[in-house]
Amino acid sequence: MSGATPKPEEAIRPEIRSLKGYQVPDASGMLKLDAMENPYRLPAELTSEIAARVAAAPLNRYPDASGRELKAQLTTTMGIPTGMQIVLGNGSDELIQMLALAVARPGAVMMGLEPSFVMFSMIAKFAGMQYVGVPLNADFTIDGEAMLAAIERHKPALIFIAYPNNPTGNLFDADIIARVIAAAPGLVVVDEAYHAFAGASFMPRLGEFPNLLVMRTLSKLGLAGLRLGLLVGHGAVLDHVDKVRLPYNVNVLTQMVASLVLRHGDVLQGQAQAIVSERASLLSRLRGMAGVKAHASEANFILFSVTGAGAVYNRLKQRAVLIKNLDGAHPLLAGCLRVTVGTPVENAQFLDALAASLAE
Ligand code: PMP
């Protein structure tokens, strides 16, 4: 026998071993403003109806593998253009993974903007793809020329553009995005996770671009606990993406409850409107605080910077307020923290805790 005994963990690829997993901090007992959840509950009539349906749900059966009823409801509620196909995911995270799995071949490149949603680059690693991040301008706008040059150079199989972007909160220039889609040799996903708070969308433009996919999620709309994402685009592409979807990935309860709640789409829409108006008041109050620089947002969160961001984040946590610390995540995010827009009471509580944390 020669050599050291191999350690079982060495069977795991080195790039996975060196990854830091997606961090979800323990939020028990905290005011939770870290994950862009909708702070409002559903009205009692609707929760009673959900309860009755859940009681009658055929949990002994697999779910409808193609999610027909839910897709029909989503088509109406989300204004999906006729002729477009839908792939459902267990959250949009799963759709990102399906896309990466479907395009990953040796040397295949996934391209994104930096800073943006961290799961794009993480999932590229999971799938063995090379990830190329194109930096945003200092004001978080998209650098169209840099993006087009990077496309020319790297010929990405897959590009993700979050619209609005997380964690910066802004919408990119639609004309630049259209040029990127037209120039891309592969698929371009416009990730509209925050669409409900933005009022701008590429959904109506799907017909213009055979390589465009629009991704949405119910997570920010008020149904984060259900885990449902959707990818919309041409059948010529999505019929293949659907093959890497695991059978029955969207469970019986999610399909049933999402269909029911979406039939009352005005409820979620009303909550989104309340969040949008709270966002304006939170922004102006943040901007009124000495030492705080707050960025405008088209999403349900606000990015702001302070000096000593790490310490301020920890002091907020000691006051039982959980937000997201982005300081150090990217050079453009130096000193940045991100807060989800909550209810008026929650936002007031957050602002008080922030004022006290800044004064400490
Ligand atoms: N896209 C963006 C831009 C996001 O910010 C998030 C969640 N933070 C997601 C996708 C994933 O959402 P989910 O998996 O809950 O649908």
Side-chain angles (χ1 to χ4, degrees):
M1 295 291 277
S2 68
T5 321
K7 297 193 183 110
E9 62 270 30
E10 282 170 3
I12 312 279
R13 285 183 277 143
E15 67 270 28
I16 302 296
R17 271 185 280 146
S18 64
L19 261 184
K20 192 161 174 257
Y22 187 81
Q23 298 295 304
V24 181
D26 180 12
S28 37
M30 310 275 274
L31 169 54
K32 197 171 181 311
L33 298 175
D34 65 325
M36 285 76 93
E37 292 145 324
N38 172 343
Y40 299 106
R41 302 293 300 264
L42 293 169
E45 319 85 78
L46 203 45
T47 52
S48 310
E49 199 175 337
I50 290 170
R53 287 189 179 234
V54 166
L59 296 181
N60 55 321
R61 300 290 178 198
Y62 282 114
D64 175 357
S66 62
R68 251 178 307 259
E69 187 192 338
L70 177 53
K71 283 183 185 171
Q73 187 57 52
L74 285 164
T75 301
T76 313
T77 312
M78 302 235 167
I80 293 174
T82 37
M84 293 299 156
Q85 299 297 310
I86 305 172
V87 177
L88 300 178
N90 189 345
S92 43
D93 287 341
E94 194 191 31
L95 294 166
I96 303 168
Q97 188 181 49
M98 281 182 216
L99 285 160
L101 282 177
V103 304
R105 66 179 111 196
V109 168
M110 178 196 290
M111 186 171 285
L113 295 154
E114 290 294 324
S116 190
F117 182 41
V118 294
M119 288 310 292
F120 300 145
S121 55
M122 279 187 73
I123 288 173
K125 279 219 176 88
F126 299 170
M129 292 183 79
Q130 190 196 332
Y131 178 80
V132 174
V134 178
L136 295 175
N137 294 315
D139 62 357
F140 303 144
T141 54
I142 190 169
D143 182 343
E145 296 316 311
M147 191 70 182
L148 292 171
I151 289 171
E152 176 74 27
R153 171 145 183 243
H154 297 283
K155 315 230 171 338
L158 188 55
I159 300 177
F160 283 99
I161 300 175
Y163 184 75
N165 190 38
N166 170 20
T168 58
N170 56 314
L171 281 168
F172 299 125
D173 184 296
D175 292 335
I176 296 180
I177 295 179
R179 280 166 60 207
V180 164
I181 301 167
L187 307 176
V188 180
V189 181
V190 175
D191 176 355
E192 299 188 350
Y194 302 97
H195 166 259
F197 317 100
S201 175
F202 272 76
M203 190 77 89
R205 301 188 63 176
L206 276 167
E208 287 175 48
F209 307 100
N211 60 336
L212 171 62
L213 300 168
V214 172
M215 191 164 73
R216 298 256 181 106
T217 175
L218 299 192
S219 296
K220 322 297 170 183
L221 258 180
L223 299 172
L226 286 186
R227 307 298 296 128
L228 184 75
L230 56 148
L231 192 60
V232 186
H234 296 262
V237 173
L238 288 188
D239 288 349
H240 299 296
V241 175
D242 201 48
K243 296 176 201 166
V244 302
R245 184 174 61 83
L246 294 177
Y248 315 119
N249 64 325
V250 179
N251 70 73
V252 168
L253 298 178
T254 295
Q255 290 196 35
M256 176 183 280
V257 177
S259 299
L260 173 60
V261 177
L262 289 170
R263 246 177 278 147
H264 302 268
D266 50 321
V267 171
L268 299 182
Q269 218 43 54
Q271 293 179 344
Q273 281 319 303
I275 291 166
V276 166
S277 73
E278 259 312 292
R279 177 181 74 200
S281 108
L282 181 58
L283 182 67
S284 72
R285 287 159 80 187
L286 276 170
R287 284 183 168 167
M289 290 174 82
V292 175
K293 180 173 180 249
H295 298 274
S297 169
E298 306 289 334
N300 63 340
F301 57 83
I302 292 176
L303 186 75
F304 63 97
S305 63
V306 290
T307 42
V312 171
Y313 169 79
N314 284 325
R315 288 183 212 134
L316 281 166
K317 231 166 135 180
Q318 281 154 17
R319 291 180 168 83
V321 175
L322 185 64
I323 62 170
K324 177 89 176 172
N325 182 8
L326 291 156
D327 186 37
H330 186 274
L332 290 181
L333 298 175
C336 280
L337 302 172
R338 185 193 67 201
V339 63
T340 306
V341 179
T343 63
V345 170
E346 290 173 343
N347 297 336
Q349 207 179 321
F350 156 71
L351 287 163
D352 286 349
L354 179 63
S357 300
L358 288 169
E360 212 177 284

